Amino acid sequence: MLEKEEDGEAGPSAGPARERRPVVVRIVGVGEITQYLKGLLEEDYFLQDVWVRGEVSDYKQPSSGHRYFLLKDETATLRCVLFRGYGAGVPPLSNGQAVLAHGRMSVFEQRGDYQFYVDAVEDAGIGELHLRFEELKAQLEAEGLFDEGRKRPLPPCPAVVGVVTSSSAAALRDIIRTLRLRCPLVQVILASTLVQGMGAAEQIAAALDALNAHGEADVIVVARGGGSLEELWAFNEEPVARAIARSQIPVVTGVGHETDFTIADFVADLRASTPTAAAAAVVPDAAVWRAGLAETRARLDLLVASRVAAERDRLAVAAHSLDRAGPRQLVADGQQRVDEAARALHLGMRHLLELRAEHLRGSALRLHALSPLLTIARGFAVVRRQPDGATVTSVRQVAPGRGLTIQVADGSFAAVVGGGTPAPADDAPDGASRLEADVVPTAAARSDSLPMADERAPVARTLRNGRRGSHDH
């Protein structure tokens, strides 16, 4: 304990000086305060033996066997614990159940919470909130607000989604995240409102009416995260149900968890188990769209490729038919026939020329074999008469004194036909005159050893041993 003294000061106009008195400042620990309060509660006989009537909410029973729940009524909430050792004879407990609980009040020091330690529980019947829930449900159902026939289908791809929830709620973040992931192009209009407590039902109804008056939303999501029956009670009140029923825009509810059902869920066009599920229900999945587009694109590409291939084949067939029927093919065929005719003509001409050349070579060989030059080369001569150059083939063609030209192998020389009777040469036949020995018919000059000599060619035989016969000039 600390003490502090405070001095009084006297001013010019001050009264009599105040007496000094000690100021006591008490400093205690948190545990001391908690212990003090706990003592106050436990010393109060009224709070140590009391029956409390209320409705069970937020009921939990972990593996330890202890039971934790809240007792609530219209105005307050009391935290309760029922230890495992007092559980014998206690009826099963569930949320919404109205009970009478016996116990004592004390403080849970670790959290500084005051709570009711229950040692006995008796069932007091259905809780007041459940009674109100069932009464309103029966009334609205009788009016036809739950009929499936009045519920409208959701738009397949809304451009604008209206959301009725608290601007600070985690449910709003879950909804926006889900909408962005599934359909990034969708717009969101928030009608912020209380979602629990006094006046929440009226605000929710007003938010629904405001979105309908605004008119841009294609679908409305009414959402709230999980909670106890009391925390979700605003969605069980008649104003909210009426607002959903008169909405011109389809309404989807996502209130609480999978096991939570509210009056709003029965009236809405679609009930989703959670706010996230509600957001997923109102917009299509862009990933599914992309997969569908990819599949459609693949089919379209296949159809286009198939059509292009078919048209290309048709074009090729038409082009082939056109080429066959057109002048180009006729010209090409004519050119081919001309080429073949030219080739045949060339081959025929070459063959004919070869035959002609062969025939000419044969004729040349035959002419060469009959050439007088060959005869001359073998020792014979060609006698021509002067001056006309006629070949002398008979003695009747010459007369004594007539000039002759005699051609031999290496040249020619002149001669004159003699007029006397010459002496016979050594190799001249007996009884032959000189002229007869020098100029004789071809037939008389032939011998069997000269087969190539022409019978018609006049020749002069040379003298043996290189000697010529003497002629008279």
Side-chain angles (χ1 to χ4, degrees), residues 160-169 171-173 175-176 187-193 195 207 210-211 214 217 220-221 223:
V160 180
V161 175
V163 178
V164 176
T165 191
S166 173
S167 59
S168 61
L172 177 61
R173 295 191 294 273
I175 290 171
I176 293 177
Q187 298 181 9
V188 177
I189 299 178
L190 173 63
S192 182
T193 178
V195 291
L211 286 174
H214 188 263
I220 297 175
V221 174

Side-chain angles (χ1 to χ4, degrees), residues 373-414:
L373 296 178
L374 294 178
T375 304
I376 293 173
R378 289 197 298 271
F380 293 90
V382 177
V383 180
R384 292 184 177 83
R385 188 175 57 191
Q386 293 182 354
D388 57 1
T391 301
V392 176
T393 61
S394 174
V395 295
R396 291 188 295 273
Q397 294 180 259
V398 297
R402 188 70 179 265
L404 301 173
T405 299
I406 301 175
Q407 182 178 357
V408 293
D410 57 351
S412 61
F413 60 87

Side-chain angles (χ1 to χ4, degrees), residues 192-465:
S192 182
T193 178
L194 290 175
V195 291
Q196 71 180 58
M198 190 69 68
E202 289 72 16
Q203 288 194 22
I204 295 171
L208 282 164
D209 293 338
L211 286 174
N212 276 269
H214 188 263
E216 289 191 11
D218 299 311
V219 65
I220 297 175
V221 174
V222 178
R224 187 205 188 283
S228 64
L229 178 62
E230 290 77 9
E231 293 170 336
L232 303 180
W233 188 253
F235 299 92
N236 289 320
E237 296 196 23
E238 187 172 358
V240 175
R242 298 290 183 187
I244 294 175
R246 65 173 172 265
S247 175
Q248 300 300 312
I249 302 171
V251 177
V252 177
T253 55
V255 179
H257 298 301
E258 179 66 37
T259 57
D260 296 323
F261 279 86
T262 64
I263 297 294
D265 294 329
F266 294 109
V267 183
D269 296 290
L270 177 67
R271 182 255 177 185
S273 59
T274 63
T276 300
V282 298
V283 294
D285 190 351
V288 176
W289 278 10
R290 283 191 290 269
L293 287 175
E295 183 179 356
T296 303
R297 184 182 296 110
R299 290 201 305 268
L300 183 60
D301 290 342
L302 183 61
L303 290 174
V304 169
S306 177
R307 182 63 179 272
V308 169
E311 294 300 325
R312 185 182 293 114
D313 292 341
R314 289 181 56 191
L315 181 60
V317 171
H320 180 68
S321 300
L322 183 61
D323 287 341
R324 292 182 59 187
R328 182 184 302 174
Q329 185 63 36
L330 297 178
V331 171
D333 292 343
Q335 289 176 343
Q336 184 176 359
R337 288 194 294 271
V338 169
D339 292 341
E340 291 177 354
R343 186 163 48 252
L345 180 61
H346 176 73
L347 292 175
M349 289 298 296
R350 187 171 65 180
H351 182 65
L352 179 61
L353 289 176
E354 289 176 353
L355 291 176
R356 295 295 186 184
E358 187 66 26
H359 180 70
L360 182 60
R361 282 194 294 272
S363 298
L365 289 176
R366 288 193 297 275
L367 288 176
H368 182 68
L370 298 176
S371 173
L373 296 178
L374 294 178
T375 304
I376 293 173
R378 289 197 298 271
F380 293 90
V382 177
V383 180
R384 292 184 177 83
R385 188 175 57 191
Q386 293 182 354
D388 57 1
T391 301
V392 176
T393 61
S394 174
V395 295
R396 291 188 295 273
Q397 294 180 259
V398 297
R402 188 70 179 265
L404 301 173
T405 299
I406 301 175
Q407 182 178 357
V408 293
D410 57 351
S412 61
F413 60 87
V416 177
V417 179
T421 304
D426 295 339
D427 54 352
D430 293 340
S433 65
R434 182 179 179 181
L435 180 60
E436 291 174 348
D438 289 339
V439 182
V440 296
T442 303
R446 287 178 57 188
S447 69
D448 296 336
S449 61
L450 300 174
M452 297 296 293
D454 193 342
E455 295 179 356
R456 297 170 296 175
V459 296
R461 190 175 60 182
T462 58
L463 300 180
R464 291 188 179 92
N465 299 326

